[in-house]
Amino acid sequence: MKTFELSRYAQLRFIASQLTETAILTEAEALALYERNWRFLDLETMDDEERRR
């Protein structure tokens, strides 16, 4: 199962501000956050690693 360390992804961390910075999300949880909060993402500043995941 693919997981996401919140501290490694700036945009994900921004839209998941209610979680601790050390949180680890499943792929489904991360995708749900991105989909629910897409309008708050700053795609111009999103790094390549976060874009690919």
Side-chain angles (χ1 to χ4, degrees), residues 1-37 41 50 53:
M1 175 188 296
K2 197 183 280 190
T3 60
F4 293 79
E5 293 176 42
L6 198 57
S7 62
R8 294 185 59 200
Y9 303 100
Q11 294 296 309
L12 183 57
R13 188 170 57 242
F14 174 71
I15 60 175
S17 59
Q18 73 278 13
L19 301 175
T20 63
E21 200 168 306
T22 58
I24 297 176
L25 304 174
T26 66
E27 187 173 18
E29 291 168 330
L31 180 59
L33 281 168
Y34 280 123
E35 289 180 336
R36 263 195 321 269
N37 297 291
L41 295 174
E50 188 167 6
R53 299 256 7 224

